[in-house]
Amino acid sequence: MNRPLFVSLDGPKGTGKTTLLEAVTQALRVEKRKVIRLCERKSDPFRGEIMALVNALARAPSRALELNVCERLADSRAWISQHVLPRQPADSIILIDRWYPSDAAFRRNIPFADILQLNLERGVQVPDLHVGVVTDPRISWARAAARTRGLGSTVLFTVEEQAACTQAFERAVAEQGWVLCRNEGTLEAATAQVVAEILRCESRFPARPLDPAR
């Protein structure tokens, strides 16, 4: 390929996305692929404003405020689509942890179908490959609890919310035709699955520039 391949890994907290992303990065580099790792929160110029809204939503949930959060998140991803993705090297594989279906998109008031449409209307780049990473919610909740920072969250607060988020996310994966990765076995198995999907996707796409308006 002589244009970037854009790949997003998404899923509820504690499903091992970051660990898997690192393993996939290393495996692709062994295959002599040029890999670019992007972080949405580090690339987002509106991060502070959005987190202030998220914190306000956590304190006083409402449909209007949740919609505002989703709109601002879409605006940030549209900015990344226009100003960050096109600057990445040709013949590279761009990997990002989280895109439009974050935990915030799978709870309470706003259906994910509406959030997805909102992102598309605002010019958010559609990934060439979208991988949904899931585990049994009890496993992901325990993993999140074992982290150094613990279960601190402005989005999900109980294992019941984690289960609801996981179920909603799996429905969206099926409806959108994304690749589902059940990260409950070995890291090696999950890595091999994702790498195989990336290489398969890479071979399907004709050479063309990355188009943020696609």
Side-chain angles (χ1 to χ4, degrees), residues 45-103:
F46 313 118
R47 177 73 177 176
E49 300 168 33
I50 291 173
M51 289 310 301
L53 284 172
V54 170
N55 288 324
L57 178 63
R59 292 191 298 270
S62 73
R63 191 181 192 284
L65 188 51
E66 185 169 329
L67 178 59
N68 192 5
V69 169
C70 292
E71 289 172 339
R72 294 307 304 275
L73 286 169
D75 287 340
S76 77
R77 285 156 175 78
W79 190 93
I80 294 169
S81 296
Q82 295 162 10
H83 299 280
V84 178
L85 296 182
R87 296 206 309 265
Q88 305 312 310
D91 296 318
S92 64
I93 298 172
I94 302 170
L95 299 181
I96 193 165
D97 181 355
R98 295 197 180 280
W99 197 229
Y100 30 69
S102 65
D103 286 336

Side-chain angles (χ1 to χ4, degrees), residues 29-174:
R29 287 175 176 164
V30 166
E31 294 292 328
K32 308 301 182 185
R33 296 307 198 276
K34 184 188 298 181
V35 180
I36 306 297
R37 288 275 299 277
L38 294 182
C39 177
E40 175 266 328
R41 69 175 180 272
K42 292 181 180 178
S43 302
D44 180 6
F46 313 118
R47 177 73 177 176
E49 300 168 33
I50 291 173
M51 289 310 301
L53 284 172
V54 170
N55 288 324
L57 178 63
R59 292 191 298 270
S62 73
R63 191 181 192 284
L65 188 51
E66 185 169 329
L67 178 59
N68 192 5
V69 169
C70 292
E71 289 172 339
R72 294 307 304 275
L73 286 169
D75 287 340
S76 77
R77 285 156 175 78
W79 190 93
I80 294 169
S81 296
Q82 295 162 10
H83 299 280
V84 178
L85 296 182
R87 296 206 309 265
Q88 305 312 310
D91 296 318
S92 64
I93 298 172
I94 302 170
L95 299 181
I96 193 165
D97 181 355
R98 295 197 180 280
W99 197 229
Y100 30 69
S102 65
D103 286 336
F106 294 99
R107 63 190 177 88
R108 301 196 177 114
N109 297 308
I110 311 297
F112 179 65
D114 294 350
I115 295 171
L116 180 58
Q117 186 60 35
L118 176 68
N119 278 262
L120 297 177
E121 289 172 353
R122 294 183 181 222
V124 174
Q125 175 72 34
V126 177
D128 296 308
L129 177 65
H130 213 134
V131 179
V133 184
V134 300
T135 67
D136 181 291
R138 291 167 296 182
I139 294 175
S140 56
W141 193 251
R143 285 177 179 172
R147 294 171 177 170
T148 303
R149 65 181 181 275
L151 290 170
S153 174
T154 55
V155 178
L156 300 174
F157 299 95
T158 67
V159 67
E160 290 78 17
E161 287 183 307
Q162 179 80 352
C165 173
T166 300
Q167 291 167 3
F169 182 75
E170 288 197 53
R171 286 195 298 270
V173 168

Side-chain angles (χ1 to χ4, degrees), residues 168-191:
F169 182 75
E170 288 197 53
R171 286 195 298 270
V173 168
E175 290 166 359
Q176 301 302 321
W178 299 332
V179 171
L180 181 66
C181 176
R182 290 199 168 278
N183 193 22
E184 296 167 333
T186 66
L187 176 61
E188 291 77 12
T191 302

Side-chain angles (χ1 to χ4, degrees), residues 1-40:
M1 292 178 62
N2 62 0
R3 59 100 181 171
L5 183 78
F6 180 35
V7 180
S8 174
L9 271 66
D10 235 293
K13 65 190 301 183
T15 56
K17 297 182 300 299
T18 302
T19 301
L20 179 57
L21 199 67
E22 180 61 33
V24 168
T25 298
Q26 296 306 316
L28 288 170
R29 287 175 176 164
V30 166
E31 294 292 328
K32 308 301 182 185
R33 296 307 198 276
K34 184 188 298 181
V35 180
I36 306 297
R37 288 275 299 277
L38 294 182
C39 177
E40 175 266 328

